[in-house]
Amino acid sequence: MAEATHDIEIRNLYKIFGPNAAKHVESVRNGMTKEELKAQHNHVLGLDDINLTIPAGKIQVVMGLSGSGKSTLIRHINRLIDPTAGELLFDGQDIAKMSETELREFRRQRTGMVFQKFALFPHWTVLENTTYGLHVRGVSRREAEERARRWITRVGLEGFEESYPNQLSGGMQQRVGLARALTNDAEILLMDEAFSALDPLIRTDMQSVLLDLQSELKKTIVFITHDLDEALRLGERIAILRDGKIIQQGTGEQIVLRPKDDYIASFVRDVRRGHVISVRTIMRKGAHAETPVTLPASTLLEEAARAMTNAEVSRANITGRDGQHVGMVTLSKCVAEMIAPDDTEEVDPESQVA
Amino acid sequence: MDLVDFPAMGRSDLREMRIAIDGAFREFTRAYGETLENIFHPIQLLLVFIEDLLIDSPWILVLAALAGLVWALGRNLKIVGGTVLALLAIGYFGMWEDTMRTIAMVAVCTLIAVVIGIPTGILMARSDRANATVTPILDMMQTMPSFVYLIPVVMIFGLGKVPGVIAVVIYAVPPIIRLTNLGIRQVPADVLEAAEAFGSSARQKLTDVQLPLALPTIMAGVNQTIMMSLAMVVVASMIGVRGLGQPVLQAINNQYFTLGVMNGLAIVAIAIIFDRATQAYGKRLQKHLEAVHG
Ligand SMILES: Nc1ncnc2c1ncn2[C@@H]1O[C@H](COP(=O)(O)OP(=O)(O)OP(=O)(O)O)[C@@H](O)[C@H]1O
Ligand SMILES: [Mg+2]
């Protein structure tokens, strides 16, 4: 199994759509906006100076509204779209500079992709669809089918090997899409709004399938979504795009706790904060409380509050990764942070008396 | 100035121009006619071979083979039954041999049209430049009255089977080219993108995705090509192609009403057989492309 070991480093990436794209990069570097580029030169600014390190073996979510450039960005990683300027470094190579043969090899050996509208091959069965990546590589049919069957079982489609895509429901079709990508056994998995076309229940289901697989596979997954709940559930790292620019990146917790601007704040307003924020970020460092409750620093606020309420205490000690004491939280602080509208956030945690 | 009469070039100039062009073409024919005939000779051999096979074999075997072919294409017993009845009637009314000649002719013409048409269609689908170049040529091939291009063909090859085949192919090849091009261009972009994302080469994309998904459309082109070849058999008989067209031509010249109608109906009958069989095949190909779910 190909466990991911290389980060993907995107450096100063620009994409401009239009016949004279290269000519306009300099103006964009000097601050020309998407609107100005469109109005003055009739070119579309797709990506504007993207710098992003996608960590090996983690799920990197890219979020943003429609038209913000999410699909454009993810398609640069396997170069379905050619950059106008910039680098995409992976395992000592610049994807942007690969020759056609190198690129084909890279796509075959190192990547798999899942699409929003599934994009299955309608004239092939589930099994034939799933073996496609190996077929392209020239792996023998017998071996390909053996490997494909394993993944078909893993995504819960056993018994449907001989069905055609049009005989399956949307959720099942996307399982085929996932199995097809996984059968490639590659360390990078690209998922462009892979679950957006599914019903909410099936969607949550598929998220669980993905998390479950990832806990064992440890691939580098780039997951595109415009749904914050999905982003927070899946993303170990989240980057937010607007008009082709990354306007904030970090963990879900960091983004919910400290949205960089009103645009992001409006995104995160309705989120279940207690479900995202951990006690680490609100604890009083170094302080110690007389209480029977001790919690790890990664405990979410909701869980911490529940633990304290169940024990009928109002404080808990916090321990770090190695189990040693690092600080304490109070129940009221937990609850305050869970319901905090933006203004209470201004209160300095240190000044609050427990 | 005289505005009623068009200021045409002089009558004598026009005549000289025609003589010059005709002369040059005749020169060309004299110089290269034999070479061209040799190049196209294999077509003659193939046609004669199929003709002999169909005519010299026991009729019952030929009937069984044709019925089997129709079954293989359409998997439809009704079409097979119709085919057998129609062929029995044709044989009973004494048109068996002419019908076999026509079937051989249509088979060879369709084969050549496929061999020329599918690669041309693929080329047009791949390159917009090729598309822009070939499309007007196809328009011309389809609208130019067929008698006009019979003239140079006959000048080069004389009367016989080969010029007949060439004339029929010129007339019948456009739909297969057009529909191959269309079929490939209609392949959904997202499916192609998926193939690309998995590292397919251009050739793999063509054979794995584009051609299979275009196949139903290509088959519609083959169907039209067969129909158009059949429509040409009477015209082809004017330059010496034997078959069902010849008695029709004879009937026109001598006002033999019954002879004309009988052979005409035989042409219609095999047209319907070919049409239903290829259409049923096309439908079978499309079975898995119809969406059952969203
Ligand atoms: N081939 C193209 N030619 C011109 N403009 C393009 C092209 N592809 C994308 N764009 C433009 O680039 C911008 C980003 O598009 P992109 O498809 O990446 O957005 P997205 O974030 O994926 O949106 P969605 O959520 O709707 O999928 C949009 O303004 C879009 O119009
Ligand atoms: Mg998109």
Side-chain angles (χ1 to χ4, degrees), chain B residues 228-239:
Chain B
M228 290 172 72
S229 316
L230 271 170
M232 273 291 277
V233 295
V234 176
V235 174
S237 72
M238 294 173 64
I239 55 172

Side-chain angles (χ1 to χ4, degrees), chain A residues 167-284:
Chain A
Q167 300 170 314
L168 306 177
S169 68
M172 286 158 88
Q173 290 190 37
Q174 196 56 306
R175 283 169 195 260
V176 180
L178 189 57
R180 179 175 68 176
L182 290 172
T183 302
N184 245 13
D185 221 346
E187 57 183 283
I188 300 174
L189 185 58
L190 304 172
M191 306 181 75
D192 185 4
E193 302 214 32
F195 303 152
S196 297
L198 306 176
D199 299 335
L201 274 181
I202 296 171
R203 188 168 179 169
T204 324
D205 212 36
M206 289 298 285
Q207 291 165 1
S208 309
V209 170
L210 182 66
L211 285 172
D212 189 38
L213 285 165
Q214 172 67 354
S215 65
E216 164 191 333
L217 300 177
K218 308 263 190 301
K219 290 178 187 295
T220 306
I221 300 181
V222 184
F223 193 100
I224 304 288
T225 181
H226 54 244
D227 180 285
L228 182 68
D229 288 324
E230 187 165 73
L232 292 172
R233 177 148 188 233
L234 297 178
E236 290 161 272
R237 309 271 311 163
I238 299 176
I240 298 181
L241 272 180
R242 184 176 54 181
D243 290 344
K245 262 198 191 52
I246 292 186
I247 48 176
Q248 185 168 7
Q249 52 177 310
T251 63
E253 193 176 359
Q254 285 165 349
I255 286 167
V256 169
L257 215 53
R258 275 178 273 286
K260 216 169 205 166
D261 63 12
D262 292 345
Y263 172 80
I264 301 174
S266 70
F267 247 124
V268 301
R269 182 160 300 137
D270 298 326
V271 90
R272 266 170 74 190
R273 297 164 61 88
H275 207 67
V276 178
I277 302 168
S278 63
V279 291
R280 179 189 297 116
T281 47
I282 63 160
M283 70 183 177
R284 276 180 63 184

Side-chain angles (χ1 to χ4, degrees), chain A residues 75 108 123 132 136 164 166, chain B residues 193 199-200 208 288 290 292:
Chain A
R75 276 164 179 68
R108 288 178 185 181
H123 55 303
Y132 187 66
V136 164
Y164 284 86
N166 67 15
Chain B
E193 186 181 49
S200 310
D208 292 341
H288 298 305
E290 287 158 10
V292 177

Side-chain angles (χ1 to χ4, degrees), chain A residues 17 34 44-46 65-72 116 193 226:
Chain A
F17 292 104
K34 184 169 180 167
V44 178
L45 181 53
L65 296 177
S66 188
S68 56
K70 307 182 296 290
S71 297
T72 307
Q116 176 171 6
E193 302 214 32
H226 54 244

Side-chain angles (χ1 to χ4, degrees), chain A residues 75 78 80 104 107-108 111 113 115 119-124 132-133 135-136 164 166-169 180-181 184, chain B residues 190-202 204-205 208-209 212-213 287-294:
Chain A
R75 276 164 179 68
N78 57 357
L80 289 173
R104 240 183 356 245
R107 286 174 179 165
R108 288 178 185 181
T111 72
M113 192 162 187
F115 299 85
L120 301 175
F121 303 111
H123 55 303
W124 283 338
Y132 187 66
H135 163 78
V136 164
Y164 284 86
N166 67 15
Q167 300 170 314
L168 306 177
S169 68
R180 179 175 68 176
N184 245 13
Chain B
D190 59 340
V191 176
L192 267 190
E193 186 181 49
E196 191 134 338
F198 281 90
S200 310
S201 62
Q204 285 171 324
K205 261 193 298 189
D208 292 341
V209 182
L213 288 182
K287 208 173 61 200
H288 298 305
L289 300 180
E290 287 158 10
V292 177
H293 282 280

